[in-house]
Amino acid sequence: MNKLKASDLFKAYKAGIHQTQVLSNISIDITQGETIGIIGSSGSGKTTLLQILAGLESPDRGEIFFNDINLLNNNALQLNKMRNKLFGYVYQFHYLLDDLTVFENCNLVFRISNNKNIKKNSHKIFKILNELGIEELKNSYPYMLSGGERQRAAIARAIVHEPMFILMDEPTGNLDQENANVIQDLTIKLAKDHNIGIMVATHDLHYAYKLDKVFRIENEGLIKK
């Protein structure tokens, strides 16, 4: 089973002569099909951890392995190619492109990777939209959708290229409890049905404790709950 493993991650931000330490000696791993919750107060480093794991940000120290491959040893081009195969990412604010339909937002993933198999890609998109209950919204623009529908569309975009892992940053943070519960259950089902490792940064303890494992970031370190 494929595994993503981070060891001894350290990250600090500098502003002039001042340095703010965000992560210190963070080690964590996730296996395909597993769900993990990352909890902690605002500013504790949850988002930074997810972005480092996804290759969107670099740690100051530490290592990240996909199985036996040290991802941080790859150059930017290699990392970009591998990231497209390994990861999907869901932001707290969905970041759907307003001038593209739901279908076109999802298809953008294939366009960026220069995947031109239109028939196969379309089938994948329709399948995921159907699983998420929004296939009938495929030609709708983001402004036409409710908050819950926009977040489902963002999740669809993150999963259509069949990544091994999805990293989700407060995916229910802007939703009412009813919509939040729907998204929570959908993400857990997707992990199991598609054998995807899902790591969720969340303030919602109810959501976190539905997952296989829960860790808290506290004082720049990681504590298993």
Side-chain angles (χ1 to χ4, degrees):
M1 193 68 71
N2 292 307
K3 177 178 286 191
L4 185 71
K5 181 177 181 179
S7 298
D8 300 323
L9 297 181
F10 178 92
K11 183 68 178 180
Y13 294 106
K14 293 181 180 179
I17 62 173
H18 301 288
Q19 178 173 282
T20 301
Q21 186 169 297
V22 181
L23 302 175
S24 179
N25 297 321
I26 296 286
S27 295
I28 191 170
D29 61 73
I30 182 170
T31 303
Q32 272 188 271
E34 184 177 36
T35 58
I36 291 179
I38 305 294
I39 59 177
S41 59
S42 296
S44 62
K46 300 188 300 295
T47 296
T48 300
L49 175 59
L50 294 191
Q51 291 182 338
I52 288 174
L53 291 175
L56 301 174
E57 194 165 343
S58 298
D60 296 324
R61 294 198 302 269
E63 296 178 312
I64 301 174
F65 286 90
F66 168 65
N67 296 333
D68 295 326
I69 302 170
N70 190 336
L71 298 181
L72 298 181
N73 285 343
N74 292 321
N75 61 38
L77 181 60
Q78 292 170 325
L79 186 58
N80 282 336
K81 288 181 178 180
M82 185 164 284
R83 184 191 299 129
N84 187 57
K85 294 179 181 179
L86 291 182
F87 302 116
Y89 200 98
V90 178
Y91 298 87
Q92 178 177 359
F93 304 100
H94 51 80
Y95 292 126
L96 297 170
L97 297 183
D98 290 333
D99 56 344
L100 299 181
T101 65
V102 168
F103 178 90
E104 290 167 339
N105 267 282
C106 292
N107 192 51
L108 191 62
V109 177
F110 298 115
R111 291 176 58 190
I112 289 172
S113 62
N114 202 31
N115 183 335
K116 298 179 180 179
N117 192 330
I118 297 173
K119 184 176 180 180
K120 185 176 181 180
N121 296 342
S122 295
H123 174 75
K124 289 180 179 180
I125 293 170
F126 291 140
K127 181 176 184 293
I128 292 300
L129 293 180
N130 183 61
E131 285 189 49
L132 291 169
I134 55 171
E135 186 176 9
E136 74 280 2
L137 301 175
K138 60 183 179 294
N139 295 320
S140 299
Y141 291 89
Y143 73 88
M144 303 166 66
L145 308 179
S146 69
E149 290 166 345
R150 285 194 292 269
Q151 198 61 300
R152 290 194 213 188
I155 292 170
R157 181 182 57 187
I159 200 175
V160 289
H161 62 297
E162 301 174 335
M164 296 180 187
F165 305 96
I166 295 182
L167 304 170
M168 309 180 76
D169 188 8
E170 298 285 359
T172 61
N174 296 312
L175 303 178
D176 60 61
Q177 195 57 54
E178 182 179 353
N179 275 304
N181 288 336
V182 170
I183 295 298
Q184 291 166 13
D185 294 340
L186 279 172
T187 57
I188 293 168
K189 187 175 187 298
L190 286 171
K192 303 309 178 186
D193 290 352
H194 292 268
N195 193 32
I196 297 172
I198 294 185
M199 187 176 292
V200 182
T202 181
H203 281 95
D204 189 335
L205 298 182
H206 176 70
Y207 186 10
Y209 284 104
K210 287 182 179 180
L211 307 176
D212 296 325
K213 297 177 183 176
V214 181
F215 296 85
R216 174 183 291 276
I217 295 184
E218 192 172 287
N219 299 323
E220 301 98 41
L222 201 61
I223 303 169
K224 186 174 181 181
K225 302 301 288 183

